[in-house]
Amino acid sequence: MISRFTPRARELALTIDLCDGKDERSYDDALFDLIAAEKIPATVFVTGLWARHHTTELRWLTQQPLLEIANHGSRHKPCTVNGRSAFGIAGTRSLAEAIAEIDDNANLLEGMTGSRPRFYRSGTAHFDDVCAEAVQLLGEVPMGFSVAGDGGAGFDQAGVERALATANPGAIVILHGHRPNRFAFEGLREALPTLRKRDISFVRLSEISDRFEVR
Ligand SMILES: [Zn+2]
């Protein structure tokens, strides 16, 4: 699983997860409007659950030149072959189920966006070893993260701001974009001046995939 990359300059990779989307309002307009207005490149991980209920929003995301769409699984399951839970969410129970979780969503997203995702982050970003290998055999890269920018959507505004403003080059940062009542937008907005002062630039995962640090 990849959680960091070797930076060439003062680069951060911003990733935004869209996890659960049965509620049509599971979309943080303010966050995505901010990253578009500030021209921040980012990689957006989308589940099948979210994509099916947000076709208009997914189309908009796909049209943004600085964003790329990645795979967050069909049903937001931890990537396991034995059903083990991670953070209270039960994982896939077999290799066949894990493959379906990965590939069904890759097929769905390819159909909806016109390109097949290259990066896969499972629900909770948990992978067992067999499952991580299966992701690679399916042609995708198993992605974790190194900075929980919003603490799994649990941080307040000051917490998000601090996590982002202090992130080090080479970090893969995660925010959540399906919780508009949380503080990803406010925290990012407040952290931007500090990040700019630190000469931080943002990159998409596809721009740095030859510099991933394998653990
Ligand atoms: Zn998620």
Side-chain angles (χ1 to χ4, degrees):
M1 174 171 74
I2 306 297
S3 312
R4 288 191 54 83
F5 64 99
T6 305
R8 280 207 194 110
R10 303 188 60 75
E11 297 163 324
L12 289 182
L14 178 62
T15 65
I16 302 175
D17 286 8
L18 296 165
C19 306
D20 190 3
K22 278 169 262 167
D23 182 336
E24 278 173 20
R25 289 159 302 173
S26 301
Y27 181 71
D28 192 340
D29 284 284
L31 175 66
F32 287 105
D33 288 351
L34 176 69
I35 62 173
E38 297 288 339
K39 298 188 166 40
I40 298 173
T43 304
V44 184
F45 285 85
V46 179
T47 64
L49 297 171
W50 189 90
R52 285 198 172 84
H53 291 91
H54 295 83
T55 51
T56 309
E57 291 85 353
L58 181 58
R59 195 174 312 122
W60 185 86
L61 292 170
T62 306
Q63 287 164 350
Q64 303 309 305
L66 296 180
L67 300 184
E68 65 188 2
I69 304 298
N71 186 354
H72 199 26
S74 196
R75 293 176 300 149
H76 200 249
K77 295 273 188 179
C79 195
T80 66
V81 293
N82 60 9
R84 221 183 121 187
S85 295
F87 300 98
I89 303 179
T92 43
R93 288 165 299 182
S94 64
L95 183 57
E97 194 182 329
I99 288 171
E101 169 74 9
I102 300 159
D103 233 21
D104 287 358
N105 198 45
N107 291 335
L108 177 75
L109 293 178
E110 185 174 14
M112 291 179 81
T113 69
S115 44
R116 196 164 182 85
R118 292 174 53 196
F119 308 103
Y120 172 65
R121 179 181 283 146
S122 56
T124 75
H126 175 77
F127 297 85
D128 69 22
D129 291 343
V130 176
C131 201
E133 200 175 329
V135 175
Q136 291 173 299
L137 291 171
L138 291 168
E140 296 184 49
V141 182
M143 297 301 307
F145 58 88
S146 44
V147 171
D150 57 9
F155 287 169
D156 62 9
Q157 176 178 322
V160 177
E161 180 185 349
R162 194 177 318 117
L164 295 177
T166 59
N168 286 320
I172 295 172
V173 180
I174 178 176
L175 290 175
H176 290 84
H178 68 292
R179 301 282 299 272
N181 53 338
R182 302 301 301 163
F183 297 99
F185 157 65
E186 291 87 348
L188 176 61
R189 182 190 60 197
E190 298 306 310
L192 279 178
T194 307
L195 290 166
R196 297 249 144 92
K197 236 177 270 165
R198 292 177 57 208
D199 259 336
I200 293 284
S201 58
F202 291 98
V203 290
R204 290 177 293 257
L205 295 178
S206 58
E207 299 171 68
I208 50 155
S209 57
D210 59 337
R211 290 187 274 138
F212 286 154
E213 289 180 3
V214 181
R215 284 192 304 166

